[in-house]
Amino acid sequence: MAVKNLMDVVEKTQMKEGRGNFRVGDTVEVHLKIVEGEKERIQVFTGIVIGRKGLGANAAFTVRRLVGNEGVERVFPVHSPSIDKIEVKKSGKIRRAKLYFLRDRVGKATRLAEKRGLGDLVKKDETPEAAAVKPRQQQKAEEKAEPKEAKKEEKAPEAKK
């Protein structure tokens, strides 16, 4: 039992904070630290996350991108010290845990539908919390009412001329 607790402590020291904020289907930019001689630089690998595996310090994810009509996949440990940061650019709308079917696709067929977030439903003068509480039917009714009011305003000045 003491060995298991010791292993948990060691594993927690190896884990980096804020690295698990992406999902399968997301388009990510992985910023890697590359050491060339004495110099160190950052190289960016951009692609779609097609799978995740493992837990804790052993967690890894696979990123796929197309380079010159050739698919390139790289497997990265989530908590690797050579990863500077992981940025999520887009979130894809998916229904699978692994996106291996993308390996058979080329070009525009590899695109995933983008997930619509709460930001798409929020109006400029409204807070996200208020938009989340508002029922979807009420939002649709407001959207339909707005164009009618705008048309009335446009017609009124024309009639005066």
Side-chain angles (χ1 to χ4, degrees):
M1 193 75 165
V3 174
K4 182 169 175 53
N5 292 338
L6 181 62
M7 288 179 65
D8 289 340
V9 170
V10 170
E11 188 172 296
K12 285 181 182 177
T13 61
Q14 300 298 317
M15 294 174 63
K16 307 281 190 266
E17 291 295 321
R19 290 271 177 96
N21 56 354
F22 62 93
R23 303 174 72 177
V24 174
D26 290 353
T27 301
V28 295
E29 284 186 353
V30 182
H31 296 256
L32 295 164
K33 295 177 188 173
I34 305 294
V35 179
E36 294 174 339
E38 296 177 7
K39 294 182 179 180
E40 185 176 292
R41 65 182 178 91
I42 301 293
Q43 184 178 40
V44 180
F45 189 87
T46 305
I48 298 174
V49 179
I50 64 167
R52 287 187 73 153
K53 60 184 175 186
L55 296 171
N58 297 325
F61 63 101
T62 306
V63 179
R64 179 178 176 81
R65 68 185 268 187
L66 290 175
V67 179
N69 292 332
E70 193 71 30
V72 177
E73 291 183 9
R74 283 191 69 177
V75 179
F76 298 101
V78 174
H79 302 287
S80 171
S82 64
I83 294 178
D84 187 40
K85 64 181 175 179
I86 302 169
E87 285 184 40
V88 177
K89 292 298 176 186
K90 288 193 293 188
S91 291
K93 187 176 179 182
I94 59 156
R95 297 172 68 175
R96 305 278 182 274
K98 303 278 194 276
L99 303 181
Y100 295 148
F101 64 90
L102 292 178
R103 292 174 174 166
D104 299 330
R105 298 186 179 185
V106 196
K108 287 187 176 182
T110 59
R111 294 181 302 175
L112 297 172
E114 193 167 350
K115 189 185 299 182
R116 291 184 63 190
L118 187 60
D120 297 340
L121 302 175
V122 179
K123 293 184 180 179
K124 293 177 184 174
D125 58 342
E126 207 171 35
T127 63
E129 293 82 16
V133 174
K134 193 181 293 187
R136 184 73 181 138
Q137 292 175 346
Q138 186 179 356
Q139 287 179 349
K140 285 183 180 179
E142 287 179 2
E143 289 172 3
K144 288 180 181 177
E146 285 178 10
K148 291 177 184 176
E149 292 172 4
K151 288 178 184 176
K152 288 179 185 177
E153 291 174 5
E154 290 175 10
K155 289 180 181 179
E158 292 174 11
K160 290 180 183 178
K161 289 180 183 177

